[in-house]
Amino acid sequence: MTKLTDAIGWFKATFGQQVQDKVAGTPFTLNLVTALAMQETYYVWGNVYKTIAVDELLKICVGDTLDAPNRSAFPKNKAALLAHAGGPAMFNVARLALTNVGQYNAAYAEVAHMNPNKFCHGYGIVQYDLQFFKDDPDFFIQRQWYDFGICMDKCVKELKAALARAYHSSKQQLNHDEMVYVAIAYNKGSVDLNKDFRQGYKDSSGKYYGQQIDQYLLLAEATP
């Protein structure tokens, strides 16, 4: 686990104070945000954080090129994006984001090379989804995911919404398991508190989002 704990330690050292400032007054913690960053984009930045500047690292924290039928949220595909106001400009931004991350990630480079209609749907180190483009176009068009503070504003906003869906917005504290359930709601939009952590996105290895968050949160809790 040394590679993972090294990355967790780096994230906390680099962004810890900013995260703590943003989550102050909420039941969310630096450990939870760290787990989210590990789950959402570690596969992008995990191999380069020691060799590139933080500003450059934040720019390539993009991903998720799944289209329908594997995606139901807006935009389901390129046509759906182009049909929306500002869609053509957004596609150019999203396509360039894909080619840029492809310079550091071979899988994304192949996707970009093989399919000119593919583009990124997730933006920022904790991933703000393109479904929010309809109500928040500036974040995407103006490439605000380059700014960690803005990414955290979006993260806390979505975590608060997830908390309200999972429990109650007035809940003041969360234990480990409750944080995992909130993270599932953050990812999936909903969560079943009567089920275990096998909820949310299921990756190619068969692990669910909730299981991954549980693992990363345990590591974050054990890493100074």
Side-chain angles (χ1 to χ4, degrees):
M1 290 296 182
T2 302
K3 187 176 180 182
L4 294 179
T5 52
D6 283 353
I8 286 170
W10 172 84
F11 182 89
K12 285 186 169 186
T14 304
F15 301 114
Q17 190 58 58
Q18 292 181 72
V19 172
Q20 289 173 339
D21 290 345
K22 294 292 186 179
V23 301
T26 77
F28 314 127
T29 65
L30 171 58
N31 287 331
L32 174 58
V33 173
T34 301
L36 290 172
M38 292 293 292
Q39 168 61 15
E40 297 287 355
T41 55
Y42 168 74
Y43 71 98
V44 170
W45 57 263
N47 290 323
V48 300
Y49 72 92
K50 294 180 180 180
T51 59
I52 68 173
V54 172
D55 287 350
E56 292 304 310
L57 180 148
L58 291 172
K59 292 177 183 180
I60 62 167
C61 284
V62 295
D64 183 7
T65 60
L66 295 177
D67 292 327
N70 296 311
R71 180 181 174 89
S72 58
F74 170 85
K76 293 182 179 180
N77 51 35
K78 178 182 177 181
L81 180 59
L82 294 179
H84 192 272
M90 184 63 237
F91 175 78
N92 291 337
V93 170
R95 178 67 187 179
L96 182 60
L98 175 59
T99 58
N100 285 344
V101 71
Q103 296 177 46
Y104 297 90
N105 184 286
Y108 280 128
E110 183 176 4
V111 170
H113 175 71
M114 297 297 293
N115 192 333
N117 294 318
K118 287 289 190 178
F119 57 98
C120 289
H121 297 90
Y123 296 83
I125 200 164
V126 287
Q127 294 287 272
Y128 190 54
D129 192 85
L130 194 54
Q131 64 185 289
F132 298 112
F133 175 71
K134 290 182 176 181
D135 299 317
D136 192 10
D138 288 350
F139 176 85
F140 303 97
I141 292 291
Q142 296 179 9
R143 298 172 173 84
Q144 292 177 0
W145 73 88
Y146 291 9
D147 186 316
F148 183 81
I150 295 176
C151 289
M152 277 307 306
D153 288 337
K154 304 301 181 184
C155 178
V156 171
K157 177 183 176 182
E158 291 308 308
L159 281 173
K160 287 179 176 178
L163 175 67
R165 294 193 297 270
Y167 296 101
H168 193 281
S169 58
S170 63
K171 193 171 177 62
Q172 296 298 308
Q173 290 185 317
L174 296 168
N175 62 31
H176 175 96
D177 286 5
E178 289 169 337
M179 286 191 191
V180 175
Y181 282 122
V182 168
I184 293 169
Y186 175 91
N187 168 251
K188 187 174 178 282
S190 62
V191 61
D192 188 338
L193 301 178
N194 295 313
K195 294 183 178 180
D196 62 20
F197 296 156
R198 287 174 291 182
Q199 301 182 63
Y201 175 73
K202 183 180 180 181
D203 66 19
S204 58
S205 74
K207 258 192 171 180
Y208 287 84
Y209 191 92
Q211 294 174 299
Q212 299 278 22
I213 289 292
D214 177 43
Q215 175 193 354
Y216 288 131
L217 185 54
L218 286 169
L219 288 174
E221 290 165 349
T223 303

